Amino acid sequence: MVASPSSNVSRELKRLAPPFVPQRVLLFSGHRVDAPGRPQPRFPPDKVADAARRIDEALAQWQVGPQDLAITQGAAGGDLLFAHACQQRGVPLQLMLPMPEAEFVRRAVEPSAEAQRWRAAWAHVRARLALPPCVLPAAAGNPFERCNQWMLDTALGHGASRLHLLCLWDGGSGDGPGGTGHLIEQARRHGVPVRWIDSRELA
């Protein structure tokens, strides 16, 4: 029998010592920083500092720390801002990638304004992980949409009452399947509380 992706993640988490049961699970999804020449700006580079501040404010209000678990993909923009903020607060972080790491970096980190900055941000977060990124097994369907469901299922596996979703979102549909709006819709079906940072209101 082939192990499910969620069971693979569970085995990785058990490597933390002592056996780790998170007090809360913090799931994040957010827009990528705009690629150069994006026709309709959504998350331009000059909004990154305010987004980082608002993400950190949310974590501070929740008083997150080593007793919690953070899950995200790690794309340039909101994901890496969240990942960095969690690591700064000592929150165990699990990156869950929709495709092999090198391909993910090429598709979701490098095609952004200030690409060198985001490659460095990825490398910084990656080097500080206690657990290696988990990679979604290949299968039919859009990998980003499947990864959203995988992350949600993994987070719910720790108990729905422990789960909080933090998002950086403009309230609209994404550029394709598997965007932030898709994950929010799926989470709300399970009654997961959502804290929404509206990217249209960033300074």
Side-chain angles (χ1 to χ4, degrees):
M1 180 179 294
V2 177
S4 70
S6 294
S7 67
N8 291 337
V9 175
S10 297
R11 284 201 301 272
E12 289 294 332
L13 291 173
K14 287 177 182 177
R15 294 173 57 190
L16 288 172
F20 182 59
V21 177
Q23 179 175 309
R24 287 166 297 193
V25 179
L26 312 169
L27 180 59
F28 181 88
S29 182
H31 292 314
R32 299 181 198 172
V33 70
D34 291 347
R38 181 182 172 89
Q40 183 65 39
R42 182 176 65 182
F43 184 23
D46 62 357
K47 306 296 185 184
V48 167
D50 192 37
R53 179 183 63 81
R54 296 190 188 210
I55 289 169
D56 194 61
E57 284 178 351
L59 299 181
Q61 288 177 8
W62 284 334
Q63 298 182 320
V64 303
Q67 72 279 1
D68 301 310
L69 172 67
I71 296 174
T72 192
Q73 287 189 26
D79 288 4
L80 284 176
L81 296 177
F82 170 78
H84 175 73
C86 286
Q87 288 182 328
Q88 289 292 96
R89 293 178 176 275
V91 181
L93 173 67
Q94 180 66 68
L95 296 184
M96 300 182 67
L97 308 184
M99 58 198 62
E101 186 172 336
E103 183 181 358
F104 178 78
V105 171
R106 180 176 59 82
R107 291 181 59 177
V109 176
E110 293 179 347
S112 56
E114 303 178 332
Q116 184 174 354
R117 169 189 179 176
W118 292 105
R119 283 195 298 269
W122 166 268
H124 182 71
V125 166
R126 177 68 173 84
R128 298 170 69 192
L129 291 175
L131 299 171
C134 294
V135 178
L136 180 70
N142 180 274
F144 292 99
E145 190 171 85
R146 291 175 55 237
C147 194
N148 274 350
Q149 191 64 55
W150 183 38
M151 291 194 301
L152 180 59
D153 289 345
T154 300
L156 287 169
H158 293 281
S161 63
R162 290 190 169 99
L163 179 55
H164 297 268
L165 174 61
L166 177 63
C167 64
L168 176 69
W169 185 44
D170 65 357
S173 57
D175 292 338
T180 297
H182 169 257
L183 182 55
I184 291 171
E185 178 185 359
Q186 298 303 312
R188 283 176 170 163
R189 289 181 179 177
H190 291 274
V192 175
V194 177
R195 176 153 180 170
W196 176 13
I197 300 171
D198 193 332
S199 60
R200 297 167 296 184
E201 298 176 356
L202 295 174

